[in-house]
Amino acid sequence: MRFLGYIDTTETMGSQQVDFDPLVPKRLGTISKKEPKKPKNLTLRESTNKVDYDPYLMPNSPNFMPEASEPTSSRDVGLIMQIFPSLLLGMIGCVLAGWLLDTVKTWEIFTRISKLFILVPTLLNLKGNLEMNLAARLSTSANLGDLDVPKNRRQIILGNLAVLQMQAISIGFIAGLFSILLGYIARTSSNGISELMLLITSSVVCASLSSLILGILMCGVIVLSRKFHINPDNIATPLAAGLGDILTLSLLIFFGQVFMQYLHTPACTIVLCVALALLPLWTLMVYRNPFVSDLIYEGWPSIVMAMFVSSFAGVILERFIIPLNGLAMLAPVLNGVSGNIATVCASRYSTALHAAITEPHGHIFSSLFTVNLLLQWLFLSFLKSFGFDHGVISLTVFGIYTAAFCLLATVLLLFARWMSWVLWVRERDPDNYIMPMITSIGDLLGTSLLVGGLVIAQKATI
């Protein structure tokens, strides 16, 4: 039996005991039959690998990832080829989310309940974190062989889907309340009880349903990636983030419009009570599942921290989305794509730490930075070529946007590497903690950089 992210400092190699530092990546040895003491806040998973090898470097291993044995140049190309399609799809999701937000910002529901502008980045960030945490956990399980046993695979997947529902309902409710509080602090338009209930109910229902859809999709993607010998660390988190944005925003707008028709009826209250009544059921399912029971309390500090940080991005968005033309269109892609490459980086580092192997940090950084550069410029070129920028993208804006995403990507990639190591040293599983930190910091820093750049560009044209 092995704990992910933890190996006892005394291993048995035949009849010889060897002491080593578990924080230094190295090949896995034969695990002692004596079960190690479980470290604090690390999730228990059964290991199906009982052979003395490094599963990433042995070509005859069922866990073998081809990219690990290739020359450096081929590995870089292979990494780019794997991550580019998923990041492209993720960017398309961000583009659609930005276009949708730019389209609906003048609709009655947004003009009447302007606190929805604060809710949007908060909910998208928190919801994206849940799916990305799921993707990171399952990617690690897949790469370590835990999903190869059908019985374990079923328990792990069902347990993680229950975790997703438990977290989504809680986060949707908290995000709604927090958006109302920030709205009053920022002195946005005043709303009655019925309108505030609409906001909270839309947030909870949207979070729960989108988590169910995306959770099932992510489980399928990771299982298929394993089957076709593709490293899910390279594709799962960008898909979760990109598809999550457009799906969550679409559902939020849809349910907001539906509940608007029943604004002065008890419909919102009834739906909210039913959703909250299901929360103990999901929690009980998680508690009874040995693969995910620790997640009842693990990972919440970073999620709550992300809510606070990303909410400030929402306040900035609510303040400048109308006067700064193009902000709603550019912000989701700037923050989304830069955040996605950092989550790929963090997911790979986390898997490497769990498997006790090393990662070529420089090559990963250069490959991911290159992909980000290509995708961001492709996005700007697409908007300019087809006239979707509405005259916003000038040479000045192009330069400011390029500087913003280069700075943002550099900060997030370095942060992903550093924080993964810090969490590991402190005996925390990076899979459960680091994604919310990356996305929330990316949202706040990216939105601030973009707002500052657009204000400078606007003044330069006057």
Side-chain angles (χ1 to χ4, degrees):
M1 187 176 293
R2 184 179 73 221
F3 297 99
L4 292 187
Y6 176 82
I7 301 175
D8 196 7
T9 55
T10 302
E11 294 290 348
T12 302
M13 304 292 186
S15 60
Q16 181 183 5
Q17 284 191 332
V18 180
D19 294 331
F20 66 93
D21 183 356
L23 301 179
V24 177
K26 59 174 65 177
R27 288 178 178 269
L28 296 176
T30 304
I31 304 301
S32 171
K33 292 182 179 179
K34 182 179 179 181
E35 183 174 329
K37 182 180 178 182
K38 184 179 179 181
K40 184 180 179 180
N41 287 338
L42 290 183
T43 303
L44 169 65
R45 296 176 189 159
E46 297 287 346
S47 172
T48 58
N49 304 320
K50 302 183 182 297
V51 185
D52 182 8
Y53 61 40
D54 182 336
Y56 276 65
L57 301 180
M58 295 294 290
N60 59 346
S61 164
N63 297 329
F64 173 64
M65 290 299 172
E67 65 185 59
S69 64
E70 295 175 352
T72 300
S73 57
S74 300
R75 186 186 302 174
D76 290 346
V77 174
L79 175 60
I80 292 174
M81 292 298 293
Q82 280 194 19
I83 65 177
F84 188 84
S86 60
L87 285 170
L88 179 61
L89 289 175
M91 186 189 72
I92 292 173
C94 294
V95 171
L96 293 176
W99 168 80
L100 183 60
L101 183 60
D102 193 51
T103 301
V104 304
K105 67 182 182 182
T106 56
W107 287 15
E108 179 187 0
I109 186 172
F110 280 91
T111 56
R112 186 169 178 175
I113 311 176
S114 63
K115 296 177 182 64
L116 281 170
F117 286 121
I118 299 176
L119 176 64
V120 166
T122 305
L123 185 61
L124 293 187
N125 178 278
L126 293 176
K127 274 292 289 85
N129 291 332
L130 302 185
E131 278 92 36
M132 284 190 289
N133 282 348
L134 169 71
R137 288 195 301 268
L138 290 181
S139 295
T140 299
S141 294
N143 285 331
L144 293 178
D146 293 339
L147 298 183
D148 293 343
V149 179
K151 182 180 179 180
N152 287 357
R153 180 170 62 239
R154 182 175 180 274
Q155 280 191 291
I156 290 172
I157 289 176
L158 291 179
N160 275 281
L161 290 177
V163 169
L164 208 55
Q165 285 299 305
M166 176 190 72
Q167 293 176 333
I169 294 174
S170 304
I171 287 301
F173 184 72
I174 295 171
L177 291 177
F178 195 69
S179 298
I180 293 172
L181 176 62
L182 276 183
Y184 281 118
I185 294 175
R187 298 181 180 180
T188 59
S189 59
S190 60
N191 300 111
I193 296 297
S194 298
E195 293 167 330
L196 299 181
M197 284 297 298
L198 182 150
L199 184 145
I200 296 174
T201 305
S202 299
S203 177
V204 170
V205 175
C206 162
S208 177
L209 185 57
S210 61
S211 285
L212 178 63
I213 296 172
L214 285 170
I216 294 173
L217 178 62
M218 285 300 101
C219 291
V221 167
I222 291 170
V223 171
L224 289 176
S225 298
R226 177 71 175 168
K227 181 179 179 180
F228 290 101
H229 305 290
I230 298 173
N231 189 348
D233 282 325
N234 295 335
I235 64 174
T237 51
L239 285 179
L243 297 179
D245 283 353
I246 183 61
L247 178 62
T248 303
L249 184 57
S250 300
L251 290 175
L252 179 63
I253 295 169
F254 173 76
F255 284 112
Q257 291 289 100
V258 170
F259 292 139
M260 196 75 175
Q261 307 301 318
Y262 304 95
L263 183 60
H264 299 292
T265 69
C268 289
T269 304
I270 293 173
V271 172
L272 180 61
C273 290
V274 170
L276 294 178
L278 292 174
L279 188 57
L281 175 62
W282 297 118
T283 305
L284 181 62
M285 291 177 63
V286 173
Y287 178 77
R288 290 181 173 178
N289 190 309
F291 292 95
V292 296
S293 58
D294 287 349
L295 296 178
I296 290 179
Y297 54 84
E298 187 177 1
W300 287 102
S302 63
I303 292 176
V304 174
M305 182 276 293
M307 179 184 70
F308 281 98
V309 174
S310 61
S311 295
F312 289 105
V315 172
I316 296 173
L317 185 65
E318 193 274 338
R319 170 66 179 82
F320 290 98
I321 192 170
I322 301 298
L324 289 181
N325 191 22
L327 178 61
M329 176 177 53
L330 296 175
V333 178
L334 173 67
N335 300 339
V337 176
S338 299
N340 286 347
I341 64 167
T343 58
V344 170
C345 181
S347 184
R348 290 178 63 95
Y349 287 151
S350 179
T351 297
L353 289 168
H354 282 104
I357 62 174
T358 58
E359 280 278 31
H361 305 299
H363 298 295
I364 292 175
F365 183 97
S366 59
S367 298
L368 291 173
F369 190 88
T370 300
V371 171
N372 181 53
L373 187 71
L374 294 174
L375 287 174
Q376 298 282 8
W377 280 350
L378 179 64
F379 165 65
L380 294 178
S381 301
F382 172 79
L383 292 182
K384 191 66 176 177
S385 299
F386 291 92
F388 294 147
D389 65 323
H390 304 296
V392 172
I393 301 177
S394 61
L395 187 60
T396 302
V397 172
F398 183 88
I400 290 173
Y401 186 88
T402 299
F405 75 69
C406 286
L407 177 59
L408 181 61
T410 301
V411 170
L412 292 181
L413 286 171
L414 293 175
F415 178 79
R417 177 184 177 184
W418 173 74
M419 185 52 68
S420 296
W421 180 81
V422 169
L423 290 169
W424 183 262
V425 170
R426 295 179 179 274
E427 295 185 351
R428 298 293 186 270
D429 189 345
D431 284 336
N432 297 326
Y433 286 91
I434 195 169
M435 302 302 175
M437 300 179 186
I438 291 173
T439 54
S440 59
I441 292 173
D443 280 351
L444 180 59
L445 179 59
T447 303
S448 301
L449 289 173
L450 186 58
V451 166
L454 291 178
V455 168
I456 292 173
Q458 194 176 69
K459 291 182 178 179
T461 57
I462 298 176

